């Protein structure tokens, strides 16, 4: 029989928390092992169990209104396409995507909400710095089981703080879908370039000595690298997400302008691809190839499969075009393509 009254101890809700994290906190508050909470509430949960079936009994057990629980946990919002019209659903992370991101919430935000345990949340690719508390909460702390104490205070990295605001501006300019599509590749590309460079002035060791996590320990070298060069990665993602380089590549038949901009925008000074296996050249070739394939099929399903939305979109009328739709700059039957590997006239 489903529960008819709340458990002895309840826990406060937290915005965009994962269902597993909420269950773990509720179980811990009632001194129960996490795997025994649902059986105790006579709730059966398997991989195929729809999240909606848990909403009513869990809301009763947690002592909260169903609507409040639904708005707090994206699994309930993302479980049914009919929910996208509901207030509070638009713009929330899509938990059903295979690329969905789980990370610990800012530890200072959770403490301010009266929560002392680590809270794991569904998040988006752009939430790397909590600007309110100046903590690094993004890449490098990607493990959902990570401790929030691993978050690093980046007050001494003003460029990293500015990059968080720059990232939001880029999404407003180019569209979240396209910055999200470019950001992971920009990050891989940039760190592939860094592996070929030296650090003669020991800049990274100096940065590590000025940064500490919540336990007072120095961050790992990889995390230090991620935080220090985050501004360059964001700038590169914005460059790749724009259409100007596409237009110039199609018009000239090469990517010289894109290469020049990497130096002009202080992403990587003096950058010149030396071979076709360069990460940028390979990315350009994959980019145009993918767009040509999607344009040839002209199917919204294929389009969304290659370029999925990271958040729940606002509803559109049947005759309304998708504002973030982009088709290949080449016709599907183009006879010739630009020489992406050639970077000079």
């Amino acid at each position: 029989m489903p529960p008819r009254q709340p458990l002895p101890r309840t826990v406060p809700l937290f915005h965009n928390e994962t269902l597993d994290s909420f269950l773990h906190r509720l179980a811990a508050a009632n001194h129960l092992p996490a795997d025994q909470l649902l059986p105790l509430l006579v709730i059966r949960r398997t991989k195929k169990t729809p999240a909606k079936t848990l909403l009513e009994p869990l809301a009763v057990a947690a002592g909260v209104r169903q609507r409040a629980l639904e708005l707090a946990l994206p699994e309930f919002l993302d479980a049914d396409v009919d929910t996208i019209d509901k207030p509070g659903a638009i713009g929330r992370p899509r938990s059903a995507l295979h690329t969905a991101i789980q990370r610990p919430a800012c530890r200072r935000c959770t403490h301010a909400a009266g929560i002392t345990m680590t809270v794991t949340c569904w998040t988006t690719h752009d939430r790397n710095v909590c600007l309110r508390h100046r903590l690094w909460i993004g890449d490098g702390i990607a493990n959902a089981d990570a401790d929030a104490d691993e978050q690093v205070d980046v007050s001494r990295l003003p460029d990293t703080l500015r990059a968080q605001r720059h990232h939001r501006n880029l999404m407003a300019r180019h569209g979240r879908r396209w910055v999200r599509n470019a950001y992971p590749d920009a990050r891989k590309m940039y760190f592939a370039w860094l592996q070929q460079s030296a650090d003669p002035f020991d800049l990274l060791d100096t940065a590590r000595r000025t940064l500490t996590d919540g336990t007072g320990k120095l961050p790992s070298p990889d995390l230090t690298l991620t935080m220090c060069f985050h501004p360059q990665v964001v700038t590169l993602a914005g460059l790749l997400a724009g259409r100007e380089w596409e237009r110039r590549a199609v018009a000239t038949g090469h990517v010289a302008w894109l290469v020049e901009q990497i130096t002009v925008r202080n992403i990587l000074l003096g950058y010149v691809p030396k071979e076709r296996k360069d990460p940028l050249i390979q990315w350009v070739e994959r980019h145009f190839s993918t767009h040509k394939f999607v344009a040839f099929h002209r199917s919204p399903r294929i389009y969304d499969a290659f370029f999925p939305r990271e958040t729940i979109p606002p509803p559109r009328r049947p005759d309304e075009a998708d504002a973030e739709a982009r088709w290949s700059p080449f016709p599907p039957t183009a006879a010739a393509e630009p020489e992406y590997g050639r970077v000079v006239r």
Side-chain angles (χ1 to χ4, degrees), residues 125-126 131 158-174 179 183 230-239 265 267:
H125 81 282
D126 56 297
L131 291 176
D159 288 345
T160 300
L161 296 174
R162 283 192 288 269
Q164 178 64 33
R165 300 184 179 91
H166 183 204
H167 203 152
R168 294 188 307 198
N169 294 338
L170 288 173
M171 291 188 297
R173 184 185 312 161
H174 303 299
V179 180
Y183 179 78
H230 184 60
Q232 287 83 356
V233 172
V234 170
T235 303
L236 179 58
L239 179 62
R265 302 187 187 199
I267 297 171

Side-chain angles (χ1 to χ4, degrees), residues 31-69:
H31 305 286
L32 292 169
D35 58 351
Q36 293 184 15
L37 177 61
L38 292 183
L40 179 67
L41 301 177
V42 197
I43 301 174
R44 185 172 181 271
R45 184 189 182 195
T46 66
K47 291 183 178 180
K48 296 183 178 181
T49 303
K52 282 287 186 182
T53 62
L54 306 180
L55 181 58
E56 181 179 357
L58 186 57
V60 173
V64 297
R65 293 181 294 109
Q66 288 188 44
R67 181 57 180 155
L69 185 62

Side-chain angles (χ1 to χ4, degrees), residues 313-330:
R316 288 184 290 127
R317 296 188 300 272
D319 59 340
E320 185 180 0
D322 186 351
E324 290 194 347
R326 288 184 184 177
W327 301 109
S328 169
F330 297 115

Side-chain angles (χ1 to χ4, degrees), residues 200-244:
F201 302 105
D202 295 328
L203 297 178
L204 291 178
D205 285 341
T206 302
R208 283 194 71 203
R209 289 193 291 270
T210 65
L211 302 170
T212 57
D213 63 17
T215 64
K217 297 179 181 178
L218 298 180
S220 68
D222 288 343
L223 181 56
T224 303
L225 199 72
T226 298
M227 294 184 295
C228 289
F229 291 102
H230 184 60
Q232 287 83 356
V233 172
V234 170
T235 303
L236 179 58
L239 179 62
L240 299 180
R243 305 222 72 178
E244 180 62 18

